[in-house]
Amino acid sequence: LLLSYKSVRNAYLKDLKKIEPIHFQMSSISTESTTSINIQDEWFQKMKLVPSAKLLSIPEWSDELWRQSPSPDGGGFMGTDFCHSAGSAVRILDYLLIDKESKDILDKNLELEYPFLIGAVHFSNKCESHRGLCHGGTFCALMDDAIGWMGFCVTGEVKPWCGYTVQVNTALKKPVKIGSTLQLESWVARKEGIRKYWISSRLIDPESGDVHCEAEGLFLLSADQV
């Protein structure tokens, strides 16, 4: 039996009407042009109290005027940061660099030789795909960002643009509702040679522990850094 486009479309719209709307409450977030804002989630406030936790302070995220001013006095960028600016659809609010000795925060069974990153991520209504749910592409962008910045921190210090991400393999595990603030994690899984770092990352619900996304990527340290 062949169905016309119109009959198929009408059947689809009829089914959509049966779906109950998803109700959510937006997290309390400042719209100020700064990355270090007041995140109300208790889990992230506790994370900041970890003795070895260092808050990443990156001018290109927090100072839009400097970012878009011509170099050498300014950053020389042409636009806003895709994942860190105040207007980002999905915004990484903060990153913490934490010493490997505190690995139990991630998984006590992990064998870590490097520090790791923990971030807080907010999903705004700008990244909506299906009704009330976030687009899977936002997950991929987060994995790329977390893997890249973990690569910039492999020495224990923050060295932006000391290398680059060349591969990201992402697995989408569970949908995320618009308005969610979740935990982004990234750590070095292994090192290959003197320049290649295989980095793992995941997006989890800090309350339930549910994993929404996982990824593994390859970060390549620039030749002039070795």
Side-chain angles (χ1 to χ4, degrees):
L1 178 65
L2 296 178
L3 298 176
S4 68
Y5 167 78
K6 185 175 180 180
S7 62
V8 172
R9 179 178 178 275
N10 289 340
Y12 171 72
L13 292 176
K14 183 177 180 181
D15 287 339
L16 276 183
K17 292 179 181 179
K18 297 177 183 178
I19 300 175
E20 291 296 325
I22 299 174
H23 299 284
F24 57 87
Q25 184 175 1
M26 296 289 286
S27 299
S28 177
I29 294 185
S30 168
T31 57
E32 296 178 359
S33 182
T34 175
T35 300
S36 298
I37 59 180
N38 182 27
I39 304 171
Q40 300 297 327
D41 300 76
E42 184 178 354
W43 65 269
F44 196 75
Q45 298 300 334
K46 288 182 178 179
M47 205 73 70
K48 288 182 176 180
L49 299 178
V50 174
S52 65
K54 301 175 183 177
L55 190 68
L56 268 60
S57 179
I58 310 297
E60 64 197 63
W61 300 344
S62 58
D63 190 340
E64 297 286 1
L65 181 60
W66 175 87
R67 177 184 173 88
Q68 297 185 36
S69 297
S71 57
D73 296 328
F77 291 86
M78 298 181 67
T80 57
D81 191 279
F82 192 76
C83 290
H84 294 270
S85 68
S88 297
V90 57
R91 185 183 181 192
I92 300 169
L93 304 170
D94 270 320
Y95 272 137
L96 293 172
L97 183 64
I98 303 176
D99 190 79
K100 64 181 181 179
E101 303 304 326
S102 300
K103 67 176 184 178
D104 286 3
I105 294 173
L106 294 176
D107 185 340
K108 64 181 180 181
N109 296 317
L110 282 176
E111 295 294 333
L112 296 184
E113 298 182 14
Y114 303 89
F116 59 92
L117 282 181
I118 297 286
V121 181
H122 179 74
F123 293 81
S124 76
N125 57 6
K126 295 179 183 178
C127 58
E128 186 175 39
S129 178
H130 186 58
R131 185 170 55 193
L133 300 177
C134 300
H135 195 288
T138 60
F139 297 8
C140 299
L142 291 173
M143 297 298 104
D144 183 20
D145 192 271
I147 289 169
W149 280 96
M150 182 66 256
F152 298 157
C153 297
V154 292
T155 63
E157 299 179 5
V158 186
K159 296 183 177 181
W161 316 115
C162 65
Y164 37 89
T165 306
V166 298
Q167 180 178 329
V168 180
N169 299 321
T170 304
L172 308 182
K173 299 290 187 178
K174 188 176 182 179
V176 173
K177 291 182 179 180
I178 294 297
S180 299
T181 302
L182 300 180
Q183 180 170 316
L184 180 60
E185 305 172 343
S186 192
W187 65 94
V188 177
R190 66 186 187 278
K191 184 181 179 183
E192 184 179 331
I194 60 174
R195 297 178 59 198
K196 294 181 179 180
Y197 292 85
W198 290 95
I199 297 175
S200 297
S201 187
R202 65 187 175 195
L203 181 69
I204 70 169
D205 185 320
E207 304 298 334
S208 67
D210 290 345
V211 178
H212 291 270
C213 182
E214 291 180 327
E216 182 182 60
L218 176 58
F219 179 86
L220 190 63
L221 202 62
S222 296
D224 60 4
Q225 297 294 316
V226 296

